[in-house]
Amino acid sequence: MTFDLIVRGTAVLPDGPLEKAWIAVSDGRIAAIGTGEAPPAHTLHDAGDGLILPGIIDGQTHACSYGGLPGIRSTTRSAVAGGITTIVDMPYDNPAPLNTPARLSEKVEAIHAHAHAHVALYGTILPGQAPDDVQPLIDGGVVAFKISTFESSPTRFPRIASDQILGLFSALADSVLPLGVHNEDQEIVRAYIAAARAAGHNGIEAHSASRPPAAELAATAQFLELGASAGAHAHIVHLTTARGFQLVDNYLADGFRATGELCVHYLWFDPERDGKALGARMKVNPPIRPGQIDALWEEILAGRVAFVSSDHSSWPIDNKLTDSIFDAGAGVPGLETLLPAFFTAAEARGLDAPALTVEQLCERPAKFFGLWPQKGAIRVGADADLTVIARTPQVWDSARAHDELRWSPFDGRTFSITVARTYLEGQLAFDGQDVVNQPGDGRYVRRGQSHWFE
Amino acid sequence: MTFDLIVRGTAVLPDGPLEKAWIAVSDGRIAAIGTGEAPPAHTLHDAGDGLILPGIIDGQTHACSYGGLPGIRSTTRSAVAGGITTIVDMPYDNPAPLNTPARLSEKVEAIHAHAHAHVALYGTILPGQAPDDVQPLIDGGVVAFKISTFESSPTRFPRIASDQILGLFSALADSVLPLGVHNEDQEIVRAYIAAARAAGHNGIEAHSASRPPAAELAATAQFLELGASAGAHAHIVHLTTARGFQLVDNYLADGFRATGELCVHYLWFDPERDGKALGARMKVNPPIRPGQIDALWEEILAGRVAFVSSDHSSWPIDNKLTDSIFDAGAGVPGLETLLPAFFTAAEARGLDAPALTVEQLCERPAKFFGLWPQKGAIRVGADADLTVIARTPQVWDSARAHDELRWSPFDGRTFSITVARTYLEGQLAFDGQDVVNQPGDGRYVRRGQSHWFE
Amino acid sequence: MTFDLIVRGTAVLPDGPLEKAWIAVSDGRIAAIGTGEAPPAHTLHDAGDGLILPGIIDGQTHACSYGGLPGIRSTTRSAVAGGITTIVDMPYDNPAPLNTPARLSEKVEAIHAHAHAHVALYGTILPGQAPDDVQPLIDGGVVAFKISTFESSPTRFPRIASDQILGLFSALADSVLPLGVHNEDQEIVRAYIAAARAAGHNGIEAHSASRPPAAELAATAQFLELGASAGAHAHIVHLTTARGFQLVDNYLADGFRATGELCVHYLWFDPERDGKALGARMKVNPPIRPGQIDALWEEILAGRVAFVSSDHSSWPIDNKLTDSIFDAGAGVPGLETLLPAFFTAAEARGLDAPALTVEQLCERPAKFFGLWPQKGAIRVGADADLTVIARTPQVWDSARAHDELRWSPFDGRTFSITVARTYLEGQLAFDGQDVVNQPGDGRYVRRGQSHWFE
Amino acid sequence: MTFDLIVRGTAVLPDGPLEKAWIAVSDGRIAAIGTGEAPPAHTLHDAGDGLILPGIIDGQTHACSYGGLPGIRSTTRSAVAGGITTIVDMPYDNPAPLNTPARLSEKVEAIHAHAHAHVALYGTILPGQAPDDVQPLIDGGVVAFKISTFESSPTRFPRIASDQILGLFSALADSVLPLGVHNEDQEIVRAYIAAARAAGHNGIEAHSASRPPAAELAATAQFLELGASAGAHAHIVHLTTARGFQLVDNYLADGFRATGELCVHYLWFDPERDGKALGARMKVNPPIRPGQIDALWEEILAGRVAFVSSDHSSWPIDNKLTDSIFDAGAGVPGLETLLPAFFTAAEARGLDAPALTVEQLCERPAKFFGLWPQKGAIRVGADADLTVIARTPQVWDSARAHDELRWSPFDGRTFSITVARTYLEGQLAFDGQDVVNQPGDGRYVRRGQSHWFE
């Protein structure tokens, strides 16, 4: 027989690296894995001493916050250039969020029109909206829901009141879908920002204090308890301190379904060290805290982090160049830096970077969002979403990125690897230089059977 | 030498009962404890086979919610008739709460004028009030602070926003004073009551569901985490489910200062069994839950309940006789039933009622509010606040009570004991029939040196 | 390219079953795993709906207790007929144990002459023997050491005194090799047997009481503590009660290296149910206990059992047909029943029998004895030791077995599967009817790099 | 009324010190405790600023190992001079141990003839002795049983085999009496001593290594498991390392009855620091270990030490002056140093020495041996066994001791307190200089109702 595609290199399999491996693809799926001489194939790519990873899954992307549904195009172009084959997109689309089956249909249509990468979707609800649309959205394939306890935008990203959170948790209690939360207490944040402004504080150094850990943790604690009361799966989409993960762990120990997620910038930046140079370029919410990096890695190694994501936002740099940090937009572009940044940081700490990368950026998000075992691992029968990385160091330069934003907090940082190739279901999407697949080659990915809790 | 007073009977000492004991009093303090023949004294009372307990401390009284500061008079009269020698009074006085040194002075003056029992005081803050008065109030002797996450009255009992709770916790972090909370999430309660009203629910059976455990627990979780963030002692003044105490316990296990309190009505009533007969007479907030009594006793026996209190409110019965449960006032009179109800219930479960009563109604509140070792135990050197109980069963009849309210949820219930005598610092306050001491014989009690956490 | 061999069927891979799979073998190793149409091969075997497992590893075999080193021939013939590709052989050879490099050489030579299956080896020491030979034996490739706290034979299977155990543990402390123990307290066993004999007890029902759990557990506790003191890996080769595994778990929790093993007969037989029918046919030491089967399965599911083995002994039936149970030999033949008995029992409990079988009979013993990743899993690059089972039920009949012993405690029991084929490094060893490879086709397997504790 | 005796001073009551206290005694019991002016008494002793403690209880004394039953006289004389009002005497009397009711009667008679202090008794069994005498000894009032796993004397202090230990535990399983053990593995100790002698090691520095922690811990582990198997209370009479207490704690956590005891010399001496000066004067078994003092204090503070005792032995110094450490007797005199040494060491570590002394030397041994609440605390109704200590520092000089032995490992050490007075049931036994009561004034104390486990 002749396979469609063979990729050769060191394959990072679930139980470890296999050197001189070949991955054979037929009909978009992995048909065979072997070592030694490879069988015949129509196309062969030899990655040499490069690593073949399962396609990276970014569990937290904001593709449409800025440019609306067409934002899927540039966002997924950037994704495949970053080795990401699937994004899980947040619901806070511009001008209105994904909160009804009709909006879901529009977004799925936009994916068909624009996507270079696969796209799975979060849903949400608006203030005052009854949970009647929850089940239709589940039937439509959304992988999770998300709300916020802080109003970032009254129409697109509103605060949801406690009673409505409780109602949504109740509507989800019999399902395996998590309800995620942007976890900041609005009263504390608004009062503290007002006080900081009144005191004339304007710089990034005032950002963490203006949205203190207490604001994040109080919202987290309240949300976890609401989820526990309803018997649903509560998910914190970003925790910035070890205390946050301890809180989540207490709920697990008490028999409830609770998880917490990290974003890669919390593992790289420290406002005390980097704030002066980066300013609003490192403004995210909840803020990056001083002195937390080591503690957060400990949480990863202890298995208490559900997975690591990018929280990618497509803000133009103008949005950041404000007089006051409080006027700057929050969020950073991150799809092309997620994989190299995570891998590099793990390696720098002496950890097994390939294994940890596959665990945190592939297996865990796949299982979490119901995409396993079709995605998340190199195994026979799985989708042939593959990411090849070369052990070629690079200094990050956002001017060469594919997101058209031309700025990044990682500019000038050295990564130990380079994304060499990205395949979607056996089709080449990125060749190391250019995005070579077409808008619409990415698919809409519905939630499947896997789930996080037994 | 000749002592001022000798009381004979079975004394419940910290390490157990001492039969044929005598307690000798000089200058208002316990000067000696002995057995056998007693030394000479100016006054002798032989309680026969009655039990001599340390004076009961009610850790949660609302003396002035209805009648203002003069309410201290009838409230403390009822207290000593109930064997209670010290009340810890809540700050929500009518028409305005205890939130400044000036108000503290007024209340202390009112104690001097009216009190039959000793009175210790909680302080509070109002919305928008800076924490500047916290230290002066501590200097003035308040034993604790309290706020609410639910507005019961806009002026007297307002909701305090998260940022202000955090500020108050921070102001208390270096002190041993707890910050207590009335723990109900306002958004959930208001939405659920509106829904219940809309659905035409009016009876007590709708009360618990209208303020569901989730509302109580979400507020509890948020408050505990704010206290933990600030490093202060967070205290939940009433938890109605075992889950609440588990939450508190998690904070202890994580190294924070957290406690939870029970009120005796949660140990006696069940809406499914008693709601029909009692109606609004058993309305308290947070509500008494169905089916929790056994689980709450387990919490007591596991040592996870800080102490048990009455949450006494002096509402006239008119306040309860409304068409809808949602219009009825919350709270019940309880000073004369606290001791016999707790003792009786413990005995009925086969527990060591004397030991448990001394632990939960004397030692623990004394230690908690900084009154130990002067109060809370029969020990040489302590204040001679003594309560004598006779093992004479009684059927409770509020018509005979000393609170002038003439109603009680306990009406018609049988208690296994009767309060026979109450002494304040060696002076007889209640003789089993009548309150025999004078207004002003009770003292203002300032916080002393003891504290709950090492 | 053309592979040497392709086996088709449902392959039980480390992360689950792969249907319509093919395993391609080259040069004795697994060269590729795929699904769908298979590449060309010199030999093809299609197992249909049969399961392809990694070759079974029996972690506890006594090949030479009875027949001396030539016993390897019939024992390994029985092994491959039971789907076992590697046995880990105990050191208590007749007439003298494996305790010196010279003996090791002889035994390796015998393996080369006789073995149908691969053979890994335990070493031991004799009373009074200095630990000087430990390192040479490690250098010679033994995978573990074992001693006994009970004398089964003064020359071949003696009791080792505490001081010598401590010395042996010290000699092993810097290595990854476990020291296993036959764990019975000699004083208790001898005293209790004497008492049982004196009381005229002769039957199997007296066997467990004559070697009570206390005898087993006391020896276990002492041995574990000696291992902990020396900092070495202590392994209990058979635990018959849940308490035994709890003991082991306490050592793990305290930071020491400790493990415990189960044999399949402890999961199948109960003396109260089966004793009358089986008599001495179910006599093993330590004894099978009444009422333990459910509890032992719980230990397996909790992950507290290192692995499951056969403890195969080649006793002729004459050795069992004695007047008194105390005169009967201990031990049962078990190589051909290990796999079907374990699989059947797991299935009967509603468990995932294929996954559990691969875990307990392949992966775990491979890791434990340093054979991983070459053995224990179907993965590219591993040795092509493969066992094919058909889902054909069978009633066990030892007359058809290949061990020439013609008796088994399992006679008449129904198994849900049948061993269909056994491959050693790609070579067919058993075709479902006959052993088709030659003595000496099995290899001596030295300890490799894997180890149990990180 | 007029009391027999009043003692004034600072009384260390169960809940703390009471200054200017008086203790009134009638009929040998504490009749009253007070402060301020004392009632009339026939005899008054004012201890000034001295501390009044409950009489000290030494939970481990060897009164008759050397001098036989008449040894009670000098031993108890030394006890009262050391502030000890009750000794719990070990059964290993010379020439034969306390293992039958007849021997118990003889020993009780000897107590009546000789004892200056109260005496409670351990019983034991001899090799081969059936447990028939266990119940008669319990009926006769023994407070505990003890055996050894090491033979110190074939007739008086023999090794008891595992089967007999198990039988004794079974005989005690339904009782509250603990079975204590001298916990050393005989095989290891004999082998290691032989090796040490062969290597020419003779000094105290070789002592710990010749009876290594492994020997102690292996015997401990085996003994604890035997107790657990039988469901009885297993007690280790001396543990010399933190690991020992961890082992005991594991049994508690698993739901079994297990305890461990410390002797005061393990808290004072370190062979590396003190061995050269003291030599065999600090030889005890199990040996004092290097570097354990801090860890053992941690165990006390964690509540994992049942109590602290002296392990007093009345060896003449000749028994210590041998050429080889292995020929020297093990054990030290300790009754007069137990209290000052423990108190001084606690104080030197900044601990609350009075509270800790009362806990470890009074309350805990009283509860452990069933003597509570008659002994172990200053409480009304308890026996008036009182020990007065002065805060007068002293340099220990065994020449002034009352044990007639004239040697001590504590010679030249400074204690921060001095024993000023000892009362037995209100009768003065020691006046700070001389023993003033008579042989036979001490009583035989039978086990009462208190027990260690609920």
Side-chain angles (χ1 to χ4, degrees), chain B residues 1 3 14-15 18 22 30-35 37-38 379-380, chain D residues 1 3 14-15 18 22 30-35 37-38 379-380:
Chain B
M1 72 164 304
F3 293 105
D15 55 355
L18 180 67
W22 48 260
I30 296 171
I33 300 167
T35 188
E37 196 185 339
R379 56 195 302 281
V380 177
Chain D
M1 72 163 303
F3 293 104
D15 55 356
L18 180 68
W22 48 260
I30 296 172
I33 301 167
T35 187
E37 195 185 337
R379 55 195 303 279
V380 177

Side-chain angles (χ1 to χ4, degrees), chain D residues 21-44:
Chain D
W22 48 260
I23 314 292
V25 178
S26 280
D27 299 329
R29 297 206 169 180
I30 296 172
I33 301 167
T35 187
E37 195 185 337
H42 297 301
T43 307
L44 173 72

Side-chain angles (χ1 to χ4, degrees), chain C residues 10 23 60-61 88 92 100 102 104 113 130 155 195 204 244 269 283 292 301 313 334 355 380 399 411 413 415 420 440:
Chain C
T10 296
I23 313 291
Q60 186 174 180
T61 311
V88 184
Y92 300 117
T100 63
L104 174 57
T155 52
I204 185 75
F269 300 109
K283 176 177 175 181
Q292 286 294 312
L301 296 178
S313 299
V380 177
D411 269 332
R413 306 278 179 159
F415 296 141

Side-chain angles (χ1 to χ4, degrees), chain D residues 139-189:
Chain D
D139 296 340
V142 299
V143 295
F145 284 80
K146 183 181 166 192
I147 60 91
S148 177
T149 57
F150 182 86
E151 178 185 301
S152 292
S153 147
T155 53
R156 190 176 61 75
F157 202 137
R159 174 177 181 274
I160 301 298
S162 307
D163 56 296
Q164 208 177 350
I165 296 174
L166 183 57
L168 184 50
F169 267 132
S170 299
L172 290 169
D174 290 335
S175 84
V176 299
L177 275 75
L179 175 57
V181 69
H182 179 102
N183 50 319
E184 293 189 289
D185 182 281
Q186 179 156 305
E187 288 175 335
I188 296 176
V189 169

Side-chain angles (χ1 to χ4, degrees), chain A residues 1 15 31 33-35 37 379, chain C residues 1 15 31-35 37 379:
Chain A
M1 72 164 303
D15 56 355
I33 300 167
T35 188
E37 195 185 337
R379 53 198 302 281
Chain C
M1 72 164 303
D15 56 355
I33 300 167
T35 188
E37 195 185 338
R379 55 197 302 280

Side-chain angles (χ1 to χ4, degrees), chain B residues 114-129:
Chain B
H114 298 297
H116 290 268
H118 301 315
V119 183
L121 295 175
Y122 263 91
T124 188
I125 56 170
L126 282 175
Q129 182 181 0

